[in-house]
Each structure stands twice: as structure tokens, then as C-alpha cells.
Amino acid sequence: MTKSALQIARAAYQPKLPKALQGHVKAVDGAATQSVADQEEIKKLFPNTYGMPVVKFEAADKAEQLPAMNVGVILSGGQAPGGHNVISGLFDGIKKLNKDSRLYGFILGPGGLVDHNYKELTADIIDEYRNTGGFDIIGSGRTKLEKVEQFEKGYEILKELGIKALVIIGGDDSNTNACVLAEYYAAQKYGIQVIGCPKTIDGDLKNDMIETSFGFDTACKTYSEVIGNIERDCNSARKYWHFIKLMGRSASHIALECALQTQPNICLVSEEIEAKNMSLDDIVTYIAQTVADRAAAGNNFGTVLIPEGLIEFIPAMKRLIAELNDFLAAHGEEYAAIERSAQRDYIIGKLSAENAAIYASLPEGVARQLTLDRDPHGNVQVSLIETEKLLSEMVGVKLAQWKKEGKYTGKFAAQHHFFGYEGRCAAPSNFDADYCYSLGYAAAALIANGKTGYMASVRNTIAPAEEWIAGGVPITMMMNMERRNGELKPVIQKALVKLDGAPFKYFEAHRAEWAKETAYVYPGPIQYFGPTEVCDQSTRTLQLEQAQ
Ligand code: FBP
């Protein structure tokens, strides 16, 4: 296989580890925990894994001699830079505990466990993937592990391979599944531990104990590089408004972080739009006004960042989507069987009057996108909704109206972009390479200490890696009850952008100036070699949050 020069040089990079994981490790248990909300319900659903203590690793003088252990690993959900380093950290961690330990990877996500599709990950294979982006070492998938038959099929293969622990690397939904599986195996007394690892570029799997999900750092830096390039093009040609939609599912963390890195003229934050109960027309007016103000100053160009989940946060749209979710969960097959040309009227006929009116007012394409297949977790696939086009079209219409009324005299030409897949498999930044390797190592230590139902955690991440605090957090601690696919279910609480948090506050204090002035910042590409202030910076989000 031909490799790029960077790939070759990067293979030799030795990720940094927190001091506590560098030598012999001991686990120190903290106080008992409880779930973030709905304590009684969660406790009842997880009698074996509820209330466990937070675990912190500390350096120990001597190592306990441990028998060799076989461990399984699964990559679940969307790709995120650094997944290969979690696996290499896990591999090195279990080998350090006993050189005869073995690691098995289940192929193409949780489905590989159920279908008994796996391969042993030997040192040769691991070495090929150290510090690389992507999940291609074993592939990923979105099969939802939730049924007892799946757990039992999984148990068959785990037993056959003599696997003592399974590590599930995934986002909030996959770690919820990891917790349910841990509880089931504990209840059945199968003696198989399940450990989760916080992955997702979306940055929405975080809380007091999990500072950030891996991949967020690299993905945001990759998007910010290209946003900066577009801003420079925009400031050179001075003739386009660029509407850039950014991945990130419901939460606006990616859009906000990219705004902090690149200082665009406009960045929409879905959580704020919801809190202010803004309508689609309010958003369009806000953008059009900024365009008009800049035009009045002779600047017929600009950059707008749009979080991909925006549509779900416009309160009236949210009510519509919630009704569509419940309706399609119950009548999805019936809907699919209807002729395409009659589908819109069919939906309008089934919805409540308020929602039917909104649905009928949407452009055809957007209306259709809202009824497309849900992902296996019941979520609308927001990455398919072309909000960047919807908004620029509506802004164009409003400006034309203002022109007629003599309120606007500028020129408006739009370009559209969607950045998502471009960043999910980028070569991990030094931060993600180190963070992921440490998470994998921490997962190995949790296994060695007999823990199950835990998520590997690494904290104090704005400090140098040496000072990071590694440990584990009971997954039940992050749970609450939420409505999914029409039913109340225990799930890990999604972390949305906090409007009283330091990252948003900083943005809010500067956005008027960024809208008016052309204050773009051009971050350039991720650097892997060079001065630490260029190569080892964490995200602005993490820096602002931790300084708070
Ligand atoms: P995860 O939550 O699984 O990490 O997925 C992240 C993500 O990249 C979202 O930002 C995006 O909406 C979604 O995956 C796209 O899904 P798919 O890869 O199935 O197209």
C-alpha cells in the first residue's frame, strides 16, 4: 500500500500518556454516584450497575501479576479522528498487563458482534493504523444493540473466544447500549465486562466527568481550516455570501467552535434560536439585515455558519418533527407504500392542524427530507436537510422585497457548502492522538480492575498530557429518561451548547463586531510537527470551558 510522506512520519509518533498511566497503575474508587435525572427509574432499570463510584487511576509502586485476558472491541456510529489510537492504546494497555493478552475487533460495528464477524488484531495490524484517521481497521456501523437475542448472540461468540471484556467506542446512543449490555451480562452473571469510550465529532457527549468526546478537536480544526480558506477567498473576490452548513447533529458545538476559530460574519446557534423562540422568518430577517448592513458599507460578501441540526430547534419545526417522529414510528411502512407524488398530501392529512400548516408551507425538498428514513436510533437524519440552501433562498427573496421597498441596494450572490464527512476521518491532531491513546489505555486499566458499565475518562485536558487525570465514570451516572421512537427510554443525556457557558458568552460578546467588520481568522491546516502552541492546542471550547 502506498503511503503519504506524512503517514510514514506520523506512524513513528508516540502518543503522550497521563503520568498515572505511564508505569504501574492502581484504581482508586471515589464516592457513590447517581444519575443526572430520573434517579428512581434508572436505578430500577440498572440494579447491577447503578450507583457505582467514579474511578481514578494513580501511579502504583508495583504491578499485580495478571493472567492473560482476551478483549473485544467495537467501533460504533460515525467515524471520528482518533479511533485507531483508542484501539492501539487498548492493545498496548492489555499487552503491558500480560503479553499473552489478545484483542479481537468486531467488524462493521455492533452488527459484527451479533453476526460473529471478527478478526484478531495482532501487533502487525495495529502498527499499520497507529495515529491514522478513519475507522477502517475494523469498520463501523450503526446497528443498535438493544434486544436480548442480540445480547445472547454476542455472548455466544464472546464465550467462544474467551473474551473477558468488550470495549464499545461510540457516541451517546452507543454508550447507552454499552450500559444496557453491561447490565444484562452482569444480571446473567456471564462474567463479561463492558466498557465504553466517548467518541463523536459532534462534541455532544460531555459532562462534568467527560470533558470532550474524541474527534471533535480534529474535525473542528479541519473545518476551520477550510472555512478560513473560504473567508480569504470571500475577502479577495468580494462578491459572494458563503452559506456553510456544518455537521454536528442536534448540538451546535461544531459550528460554535469553528466560529471561535474563524470569526465569520454570522454563526447560527440552534440552542439560542430555540431559547429565543425564533421562527424561520426571524432567522432569515437576521441574516438579511446583516447582509444589508454590510452592503451599505460596500461589502457585498460574507460568511454564514449553520449548524446541521438547526431545523429541529426552531420551536415550531421541532413540534412538527416530534409529531412526524411518533407518526412515522407507528406508520412508517404504510407511508413508504404510498406513491411518492401522494406522500406530501398523505402526511398533511395525518398531522395536527398547526403542524399540517407548517408542513404544507415548506419547500417540497425540505418537506420530503423531514420524512426520510430515521437512523436506527429514531433520529431525523439532519445531515440530509439542505438548510444552507433553504436559508440563502429565503434571504434572497427577502432582500429582493427590501430592494423594491428601497431599503436595500446591494448585490447578493450565494455559494453553498456542507462540511461533514471531510473532517471525520482526518489524521488525528496531536490532541486527539494523545487523548484517544490515553482513553484506550484507561479502558485496559478499567478492565484489569474488574469494572463494568464504565466509560473511560481522561480529564484536565487543557493541561499538558502528563497532567491529565485518567479513570472511569459509571455510565448510569450520565443517564436520564427520554422519549425515543415514541417510547420513554433510559439514555445518556445529550450535551447541547449552554447559553450561559463561556464559549457561547465569548461568541455573543464578539458577534456584532464580526458581523460588521471583516475580522476573519485563518487557522490554516492542522500541524503535527513544530512549536507546541501551533501543534498541541486544544479547542477554544475546551479552553474557555475549563478556564470558567
Ligand atoms: P455519531 O453521533 O455516531 O458520532 O455521528 C456523527 C455524525 O457525523 C453526525 O454529525 C452526522 O449527523 C451523522 O454522523 C451522519 O451519519 P452517517 O454517517 O450515517 O451519514
Side-chain angles (χ1 to χ4, degrees):
M1 197 170 52
T2 314
K3 287 186 182 159
S4 68
L6 180 67
Q7 244 179 304
I8 294 164
R10 202 58 189 153
Y13 177 74
Q14 179 53 50
K16 305 179 209 63
L17 275 177
K19 206 172 182 80
L21 295 180
Q22 289 173 10
H24 304 313
V25 179
K26 69 170 182 222
V28 178
D29 285 356
T33 58
Q34 53 174 10
S35 60
V36 277
D38 309 311
Q39 288 85 8
E40 281 314 307
E41 289 95 322
I42 308 279
K43 191 174 177 181
K44 219 178 278 164
L45 291 164
F46 296 90
N48 296 283
T49 51
Y50 188 85
M52 301 182 299
V54 169
V55 172
K56 185 178 160 197
F57 295 124
E58 289 180 5
D61 298 337
K62 57 177 178 49
E64 252 179 76
Q65 199 44 49
L66 287 173
M69 54 188 177
N70 292 355
V71 170
V73 64
I74 296 177
L75 289 164
S76 180
Q79 285 70 251
H84 289 157
N85 271 28
V86 180
I87 295 182
S88 52
L90 176 63
F91 179 84
D92 292 351
I94 61 171
K95 287 284 185 189
K96 192 171 114 183
L97 290 162
N98 188 314
K99 66 176 180 16
D100 294 325
S101 294
R102 296 167 91 162
L103 183 62
Y104 293 91
F106 290 96
I107 310 293
L108 288 176
L113 177 73
V114 179
D115 302 337
H116 299 187
N117 194 3
Y118 66 89
K119 76 170 174 202
E120 184 176 353
L121 297 172
T122 56
D124 287 354
I125 299 176
I126 295 283
D127 287 347
E128 281 294 303
Y129 289 92
R130 288 180 191 270
N131 307 311
T132 58
F135 277 6
D136 41 319
I137 187 170
I138 45 175
S140 185
R142 292 199 183 277
T143 302
K144 193 167 165 57
L145 278 184
E146 59 180 355
K147 298 195 187 86
V148 167
E149 306 88 81
Q150 293 172 312
F151 301 166
E152 287 293 334
K153 286 298 281 179
Y155 177 55
E156 275 172 25
I157 189 68
L158 294 171
K159 201 165 60 171
E160 190 182 314
L161 296 172
I163 288 178
K164 160 190 170 63
L166 183 65
V167 176
I168 299 184
I169 302 171
D172 52 342
D173 287 327
S174 309
N175 275 283
T176 294
N177 297 345
C179 193
V180 174
L181 189 64
E183 175 64 34
Y184 181 81
Y185 286 165
Q188 300 300 316
K189 306 207 181 340
Y190 285 168
I192 293 177
Q193 301 156 245
V194 184
I195 301 294
C197 271
K199 168 236 71 165
T200 179
I201 60 161
D202 301 348
D204 57 3
L205 173 47
K206 65 173 170 183
N207 47 55
D208 292 346
M209 291 292 162
I210 304 294
E211 292 179 357
T212 186
S213 55
F214 79 76
F216 177 69
D217 185 273
T218 310
C220 289
K221 286 174 179 161
T222 306
Y223 303 141
S224 294
E225 178 204 346
V226 278
I227 294 166
N229 295 350
I230 284 176
E231 287 178 337
R232 204 143 212 176
D233 192 288
C234 170
N235 195 15
S236 305
R238 302 181 171 232
K239 61 176 182 182
Y240 291 127
W241 271 85
H242 291 268
F243 285 72
I244 306 172
K245 184 174 74 165
L246 291 158
M247 241 188 198
R249 232 184 253 291
S250 304
S252 306
H253 298 294
I254 291 183
L256 180 58
E257 171 61 25
C258 292
L260 295 171
Q261 289 192 30
T262 63
Q263 304 189 176
N265 304 102
I266 295 176
C267 173
L268 301 176
V269 174
S270 307
E271 292 82 346
E272 180 186 26
I273 283 161
E274 179 173 50
K276 292 187 171 163
N277 201 7
M278 287 170 82
S279 65
L280 193 52
D281 185 60
D282 293 335
I283 299 168
V284 169
T285 305
Y286 165 63
I287 301 174
Q289 192 58 57
T290 308
V291 173
D293 292 347
R294 283 181 65 79
N299 297 319
N300 287 298
F301 64 94
T303 310
V304 184
L305 304 189
I306 304 159
E308 79 171 349
L310 176 74
I311 211 93
E312 283 184 286
F313 281 77
I314 301 170
M317 295 293 289
K318 191 176 181 168
R319 288 194 290 276
L320 166 65
I321 291 173
E323 192 177 348
L324 280 172
N325 280 348
D326 286 354
F327 178 76
L328 291 171
H331 305 281
E333 281 179 22
E334 188 182 318
Y335 169 74
I338 287 170
E339 219 172 287
R340 197 179 152 95
S341 59
Q343 282 177 333
R344 190 177 163 99
D345 285 342
Y346 166 83
I347 292 281
I348 291 171
K350 298 288 181 186
L351 294 175
S352 63
E354 185 207 352
N355 288 336
I358 299 171
Y359 189 81
S361 74
L362 292 174
E364 176 75 33
V366 176
R368 173 159 302 285
Q369 280 159 350
L370 288 180
T371 58
L372 290 178
D373 282 349
R374 273 39 188 164
D375 74 8
H377 301 281
N379 303 318
V380 176
Q381 299 192 53
V382 279
S383 60
L384 300 179
I385 300 173
E386 294 182 314
T387 24
E388 68 282 22
K389 291 192 183 145
L390 173 76
L391 289 176
S392 86
E393 267 171 39
M394 293 178 80
V395 166
V397 170
K398 188 155 293 254
L399 289 171
Q401 178 64 32
W402 287 355
K403 203 166 240 177
K404 266 196 219 147
E405 295 165 11
K407 290 196 227 159
Y408 164 73
T409 52
K411 285 191 194 126
F412 176 71
Q415 295 287 349
H416 306 107
H417 315 265
F418 170 38
F419 298 144
Y421 300 98
E422 294 83 345
R424 298 201 311 184
C425 285
S429 60
N430 284 352
F431 177 87
D432 270 329
D434 299 345
Y435 182 56
C436 291
Y437 188 76
S438 302
L439 284 171
Y441 228 87
L446 287 168
I447 297 167
N449 283 281
K451 304 292 180 190
T452 190
Y454 275 76
M455 191 184 290
S457 83
V458 172
R459 291 184 286 132
N460 197 28
T461 50
I462 59 163
E466 280 252 306
E467 295 162 33
W468 289 356
I469 300 165
V473 184
I475 302 179
T476 49
M477 190 182 175
M478 306 169 201
M479 287 197 158
N480 69 165
M481 301 296 292
E482 281 177 28
R483 207 167 181 75
R484 295 285 170 92
N485 274 334
E487 267 178 72
L488 264 184
K489 293 238 161 109
V491 293
I492 293 177
Q493 201 173 47
K494 228 184 232 319
L496 300 178
V497 168
K498 288 190 180 146
L499 301 183
D500 57 356
F504 181 78
K505 286 277 171 212
Y506 183 92
F507 164 71
E508 193 181 30
H510 291 84
R511 67 176 154 192
E513 176 201 330
W514 299 349
K516 190 161 162 251
E517 312 296 337
T518 301
Y520 304 150
V521 174
Y522 313 117
I526 294 175
Q527 301 293 309
Y528 301 92
F529 307 100
T532 189
E533 69 275 15
V534 180
C535 303
D536 299 325
Q537 291 291 319
S538 55
T539 54
R540 294 280 295 132
T541 302
L542 208 45
Q543 288 166 21
L544 288 161
E545 279 173 352
Q546 298 301 309
Q548 204 173 14

